[in-house]
Structures are given as C-alpha cells and as structure tokens.
Amino acid sequence: MSNLLLFPIMIPLIFATILMLFPKKIKMQRLIALIGAAATLLAAAFLLAKVYGDGIQVVTLGSWPAPFGISMVSDLFSALLVATSSLIVLFVVLYSFPTIGIRREQSFYYSAVLFLMAGVNGAFTTGDIFNLFVFVEVLLMASYALIVHGGEKQQLRESIKYLLVNIISSALFVVAVAFLYSVTGTLNMADLAVKIPQIENTGILTVIAVLFLVVFGFKAAIFPLYFWLPASYHAPPMPVLALFGALLTKVGVYAIMRTYTLFFTMNTGFTHELLAIIAILTILAGCVGALAYFDVKKIIIYNIIIAVGVILFGVSQMNEAGVQGAILYLVHDMMIKAALFFLVGIVAVIFGTSNLRQMGGLIKTYPVLGWTYLIAAFGLAGIPPLSGFPGKLLIVQGGFEGPQFWGSIVILATSLIVLLSAMRIFIYAFWGEPVETKPLKKSAYQAMLIPSMILVAITVFFGVGAELFMPFVSGAAEVLLNPSLYIEAVFKE
Amino acid sequence: MRTNDVMLQTVTKVVTFLILMFAVHIFFAGHYTPGGGFVGGLLTASAIVLLMLAFGIRTVKKIVPINYVVMTSVGLLVAISTASASVLFDVPFFTHAYDYFDLPLFGKTSLHSALLFDVGVYLVVVGVTMTIIQTIGEDE
C-alpha cells in the first residue's frame, strides 16, 4: 500500500471534518474523536513497522516525478515522531473527557484537536519546505482555536499575543522560503540537499540558514525568542496545555533538526556553533524561569524550554551520539511533558488553584497520584532507569566528543535544577500540613488519573526498555547524518 | 425606523442572479483560464452578502436555509475524498484522472476529477465566508 504514510494525516482530517457535522451530540463527539485518534495511532504504528522493515517510504503526490510534485517522506525519525504524537493525542482526548467541560465539548473542541493532529503529523512527514509551511499553518490555526476556546479573559488576552507572534514568524517563514527559492530554484527538501552543496556562494545560504533558525526558533521557543511562550501556555485549560506543551514546540525542534542536518550543512562552523550557543542559553533561561515561579503550570512550562535547549544542543554537535540522544530525548520529552501536565492538572483541580504556596499534604489523601508524580518527575530529570536518562546521556556524550564540551557540563549541572524544580512541586503539594481541598468525585478523579498513569507507565517502559528502541533511534540518526540516504529514497522512482 | 429601500431591493433582485451566473462561469472556467473554486466561492458569497444587505439577515436565512458550518464540512469531505479516491486505485495520493466525453448540448468536453476537488474548495470558501459574516452580523 503505497499511500500508507499519508494515513496518519488523512484519518484525523476526515474524522475532524465529520465531527463538525454534529457539534451538540457529546457522546457521539467523544466516541468518534476517540475512534479517530485510536485509528491514527494504529496507522502510525503500522507505518513505523513498515519504515523499519522496508526503509524510507516516499510518495510524491499526484504521480508527478520527485522534485516537481510534493514529496511526502517518512523515514524512521519522522515515523517515530508521528507515532509518538498520535499516542499523545489519544491520551489528550481521553484526559479531555472529565476535564474540558461540556460547553467546550459542544463547540468543536474535538474537531480542533484532530485538525491539530493532522497538522502535526503532516509537518513531521512532509518533504517539501513550502508544504511544511502549510502544515505548520494548519496546526497553528487549530492551536489558535484551542488557545482561545472558552473565551475566558486570560485566554483572550494571551491569544492576541500568541496570534501576533505566530503571524509575524509565519510571515518570516514565507520570506525565508522565498529567499531560499530564489537562490536554489527548488522547494523539495531532497532537491535542496542536492542543489545547496553545488552553490559556491555560501554567504547568502548562511544568512538563509540563520533566518530559518529564527523562524523555527519562534515556534520552538529558543532563547531569545521564547518570550511569548510562558504566558500564552498558561492561559488554556490543562488538556490543551498538555497538547501544546507536548507537540507544538517539538514541530519547531523537528524542523530545525531536519533543515540543519539535511541541507544547511555548508557552513557548520558558524551555523551549528550558533545553534549550540543558543541551545545552552535556552537551557539557562528555562532554568531561571523554572526556579522563579511558585505556579505548577509555569514550572512545567519553563521545563519545556529547557528540554528544547537540551535537544537542540544534541543536534548541533552533528555526531552520532549527539543526534541519537536528541532523537531519544525528543520522544521522551513529548511523552513526559504530556504526563506531567496531566498530573499537575489533577493537582490543580484538587486544590482549585495552581499556586504552590496554597497547597500541601496531598500524599495522605491521594497517595497514588503522589507516587505517580514522583516517578514522572524523576523521569523528567533523567534518573537512570527512567526515560530521560539514555537520551541525556547520549547528548552529554555527544557534547564531550564534539567541539562544545562545556555545553555538556551545563546540561549535567542544569539537570539538578530540573530535578529541583519538579521536586518542589512534590514537596509543596504532597508533603507538609494538609490544606483544605475541593471535594472531587471519585469517578472523575479516576478518569483523570488512569490516562496519566498509563502514560507515565509508557515513559517508564520507554526508559527501562531503551535497548529495545535503540534500533529505531540509530536508524533515524543514520538518515539524519547521511542525507544521501534521504536523497536517494526520494529520487529513486 | 426602517427607511424604504425599494431601489436597492429591486436592483439586488436582478444583480444577484447576474453575480451568481458569473460565479458559476468563473468556477467552470478555472481549468483553462483564470478562475476556479476560490474566486467562484467568493463571488457566490458576495451575492448572498448583497442579499443580506438589501433584505436583512433574517429574511436571507429564510430564503437560503443553509447551515454554513455543515456546508464547510461537506466541502472538506468532498475535497478529501476526491484526493483519497486514489487509494482505491493504488496510485499516489491526489492523482487525478480525466477523459473526453461527448455530452449532449455541450459536445466534446473534457471532464477532470480536479473539478470535484474544486467543488470541495468552492463549498468550503462559501461556507467559511458566510459563517464569518453571519456570526459577526448576528452578534449583538
């Protein structure tokens, strides 16, 4: 079946469209959204198995030959990310049932979630730089709808900032694509990878590479372009926040990884060193924020920024250990961020506030929640058997092998800050004097807790069984480090 | 107080049909000359907007009883299923098919499955434009 790699994009698109037909029937909405997300996950899993077995899958839309049509390329890296994002959307849909509220469910909430899923999966799969722009717009449109969905005052205020920043960065994206097109005359990523090494004037290409770093840096929230993220992500309700935190910035990270390994490799001495320095600054800026706030949402939000820095530092080293570590850490981070947002969401519901100072003593009444959170926090910091460890280890190793050994030292040191920031939530919310809590129905509590626990269990499995996943990761890293594999796959037809 | 706008309403009754005819013409001309689903859809929406200006939103809702959100959704489904039909024939996504037919009245005509995709685009454009205008117009 040659079109298999399009199924993770088309299935959510079709289901989202069907969901628009009957917004008021909540049970049908939930059922169909769940079926759509599950079917997408199934398709993504098949795709991953197929790519692992048969190598890179390529479809050029409309039966046109490769550089002229839009190529959709699924290598192990993108298949892995598509599978992970589909998994997370499934859990977000499950977690939305008890938390999002009937009024939101009745106004196209699940449609927007599935449209976002289609955009994210498309951005991970596409092999055409302008098509990447279109898919990024698809997911941004859906995210605009989700960030303002419900119309609370804070949401309205933050959505204006979010819109403004993203519109400006999207306009810059178009300008960057226009520059690239005028220099190379092509938009197909594989064709770009062929044409760019033939161009002798690397000065203009370096400028374009930095421009793309700015564009994707806005989406991925790197230093100093992360300023919009903490306030904007604080506004929407928790399932939406989990969706954003797990997926949206990662699309920017993916785009940087793809462009900086596939074709912007003509002047690595400048561009990749810049990337490494920015990545380290991103980590430091995130650490400052993670320690500064007494708000559970803000603490985890700043941890998103730290993780973006860690992943990009791994990529900037351009050696096997660094890139493998970045891929492992990317997959780990998508899952653990969703799980952590789910868990602090439950904590915030129980206390009726997200302020840490007004919390305490939860471990006596909700022990399961407490220990699940502790495992997730350890996973985030990278305590050895858990999922954050192998990725970070490889990234640090890559740093020591590469030119920026000092970056590895910063990453090791900041791991302690990450642990401290996550443990602070545990210490304040679960230890100490019990504080009066809002009564919570047992069924609602379980409906929130069970998806979160399963997701934490999956991350634990991902960490303990890292050896099982290594063939996928090393295969993905191989394609990133050898662009010729990617080029041959696209042009073989 | 409502002013008597018999001039506007009479002209609208004639001009609306002209605009609609032109929209259909532009829509079908899209394959060989400038035009297509997007402008066709916008022109159709502009005809409905003209009706709304002349007769008011409630009257137009009565004479054109369409739920535009459903229209958008149906348009998307038409576009997606045209693209996905290629899955049945196991060719790459979005592969289109065309052939020449001898239609009565039209003579030798080429029919292209891209037309179906354009029908989807047309429906989405009309649906989205009208949803935006209706929602803002009804807002108190």
Side-chain angles (χ1 to χ4, degrees):
Chain A
M1 193 74 158
S2 58
N3 286 308
L4 181 64
L5 77 157
L6 283 154
F7 281 21
I9 308 166
M10 297 319 287
I11 292 171
L13 204 54
I14 291 170
F15 275 89
T17 315
I18 292 171
L19 282 175
M20 283 169 66
L21 292 172
F22 40 84
K24 301 291 175 204
K25 294 179 184 156
I26 297 177
K27 278 196 178 145
M28 285 293 279
Q29 288 270 322
R30 288 180 175 180
L31 183 69
I32 290 181
L34 196 61
I35 293 172
T40 314
L41 178 61
L42 204 66
F46 267 115
L47 175 64
L48 186 60
K50 172 100 173 163
V51 174
Y52 184 64
D54 303 353
I56 302 172
Q57 299 290 308
V58 180
V59 168
T60 305
L61 298 186
S63 305
W64 298 100
F68 306 113
I70 296 169
S71 297
M72 302 299 270
V73 187
S74 199
D75 59 355
L76 266 178
F77 182 37
S78 78
L80 211 57
L81 292 183
V82 166
T84 316
S85 63
S86 306
L87 182 78
I88 287 163
V89 174
L90 179 64
F91 278 103
V92 167
V93 169
L94 278 173
Y95 187 80
S96 298
F97 294 161
T99 49
I100 198 73
I102 288 170
R103 286 193 53 203
R104 281 198 174 95
E105 281 181 290
Q106 279 182 334
S107 40
F108 306 104
Y109 171 74
Y110 294 114
S111 285
V113 170
L114 289 184
F115 275 126
L116 188 122
M117 186 187 199
V120 169
N121 284 351
F124 285 150
T125 313
T126 184
D128 182 289
I129 197 90
F130 194 76
N131 201 232
L132 175 66
F133 168 77
V134 174
F135 274 120
V136 166
E137 284 304 304
V138 170
L139 74 92
L140 281 178
M141 293 283 169
S143 77
Y144 299 153
L146 284 173
I147 200 170
V148 79
H149 206 255
E152 289 159 23
K153 193 177 170 190
Q154 194 198 7
Q155 285 185 302
L156 291 174
R157 188 180 63 228
E158 297 307 331
S159 63
I160 291 175
K161 292 182 200 164
Y162 180 74
L163 258 159
L164 215 59
V165 166
N166 276 305
I167 286 174
I168 290 169
S169 75
S170 293
L172 272 179
F173 196 165
V174 177
V175 172
V177 169
F179 281 149
L180 191 61
Y181 185 65
S182 70
V183 172
T184 59
T186 181
L187 292 171
N188 188 300
M189 290 196 202
D191 203 25
L192 280 170
V194 175
K195 294 244 169 77
I196 282 181
Q198 296 167 357
I199 292 170
E200 285 163 13
N201 184 4
T202 55
I204 183 75
L205 286 170
T206 309
V207 172
I208 294 170
V210 173
L211 195 53
F212 269 102
L213 184 62
V214 171
V215 168
F216 296 138
F218 264 116
K219 319 277 185 211
I222 61 174
F223 180 88
L225 306 170
Y226 70 93
F227 56 88
W228 56 273
L229 185 130
S232 295
Y233 278 22
H234 195 263
M238 204 48 95
V240 177
L241 173 55
L243 196 63
F244 282 19
L247 300 182
L248 292 196
T249 52
K250 307 307 180 289
V251 174
V253 172
Y254 166 82
I256 293 176
M257 287 176 83
R258 183 62 83 192
T259 51
Y260 270 60
T261 55
L262 188 59
F263 45 82
F264 287 137
T265 49
M266 62 285 153
N267 190 1
T268 46
F270 179 74
T271 49
H272 287 60
E273 194 178 346
L274 179 70
L275 186 61
I277 293 168
I278 285 179
I280 294 300
L281 287 174
T282 310
I283 297 174
L284 294 176
C287 284
V288 172
L291 287 184
Y293 284 95
F294 272 89
D295 183 302
V296 285
K297 278 188 185 175
K298 277 268 164 71
I299 292 171
I300 310 292
I301 287 170
Y302 274 101
N303 270 301
I304 300 175
I305 298 172
I306 300 173
V308 166
V310 172
I311 296 163
L312 288 181
F313 179 75
V315 183
S316 71
Q317 300 307 304
M318 285 295 275
N319 51 23
E320 202 185 331
V323 173
Q324 283 187 2
I327 294 165
L328 256 178
Y329 201 77
L330 184 55
V331 174
H332 142 78
D333 189 62
M334 288 166 83
M335 292 194 291
I336 201 84
K337 285 288 141 61
L340 277 172
F341 278 123
F342 287 173
L343 290 168
V344 300
I346 302 174
V347 173
V349 168
I350 290 171
F351 285 111
T353 170
S354 60
N355 189 343
L356 266 185
R357 288 201 179 91
Q358 297 166 15
M359 298 180 178
L362 212 56
I363 199 78
K364 285 184 187 124
T365 36
Y366 296 93
V368 182
L369 177 65
W371 298 119
T372 314
Y373 178 78
L374 189 68
I375 293 171
F378 281 168
L380 177 74
I383 306 268
L386 298 170
S387 61
F389 175 68
K392 218 172 223 176
L393 180 72
L394 282 168
I395 290 174
V396 168
Q397 186 195 335
F400 280 127
E401 286 170 4
Q404 279 96 14
F405 69 93
W406 45 271
S408 297
I409 298 169
V410 174
I411 288 179
L412 287 175
T414 51
S415 296
L416 292 174
I417 299 179
V418 171
L419 182 63
L420 175 64
S421 69
M423 285 309 294
R424 251 173 14 136
I425 298 179
F426 186 74
I427 291 168
Y428 275 86
F430 291 96
W431 288 354
E433 283 297 302
V435 173
E436 202 179 329
T437 56
K438 284 196 170 177
L440 187 63
K441 256 197 260 163
K442 198 155 194 284
S443 61
Y445 170 66
Q446 279 175 346
M448 284 191 277
L449 185 65
I450 288 168
S452 331
M453 277 177 69
I454 297 172
L455 197 54
V456 172
I458 291 172
T459 65
V460 171
F461 175 66
F462 184 71
V464 175
E467 204 62 35
L468 280 175
F469 297 98
M470 270 323 272
F472 292 93
V473 173
S474 58
E478 201 186 339
V479 179
L480 288 186
L481 292 166
N482 292 322
S484 54
L485 295 175
Y486 189 97
I487 298 166
E488 276 164 27
V490 174
F491 285 118
K492 71 168 180 246
E493 288 162 3
Chain B
M1 193 191 104
R2 194 162 171 78
T3 47
N4 188 351
D5 33 33
V6 69
M7 295 274 231
L8 177 65
Q9 292 185 347
T10 317
V11 172
T12 300
K13 279 175 195 163
V14 181
V15 169
T16 302
F17 285 102
L18 290 179
I19 299 177
L20 283 176
M21 298 283 270
F22 187 55
V24 172
H25 169 74
I26 283 263
F27 172 76
F28 281 107
H31 204 71
Y32 294 111
T33 51
F38 188 78
V39 268
L42 276 186
L43 272 170
T44 310
S46 75
I48 305 175
V49 170
L50 184 63
L51 281 178
M52 282 179 172
L53 284 175
F55 297 97
I57 285 186
R58 280 204 199 95
T59 326
V60 175
K61 252 191 169 174
K62 239 179 249 164
I63 54 172
V64 195
I66 296 174
N67 182 342
Y68 292 106
V69 176
V70 171
M71 191 173 181
T72 312
S73 173
V74 169
L76 269 174
L77 277 179
V78 169
I80 298 169
S81 38
T82 311
S84 324
S86 56
V87 173
L88 299 178
F89 304 101
D90 201 24
V91 286
F93 216 73
F94 262 113
T95 304
H96 284 286
Y98 70 95
D99 206 351
Y100 291 92
F101 294 94
D102 265 321
L103 300 180
L105 213 62
F106 289 103
K108 191 181 168 197
T109 319
S110 81
L111 288 182
H112 198 299
S113 64
L115 178 74
L116 283 174
F117 187 79
D118 243 18
V119 170
V121 174
Y122 177 87
L123 290 175
V124 171
V125 171
V126 176
V128 168
T129 318
M130 293 321 295
T131 310
I132 293 170
I133 290 169
Q134 227 175 36
T135 325
I136 296 175
E138 282 172 346
D139 215 30
E140 291 296 315

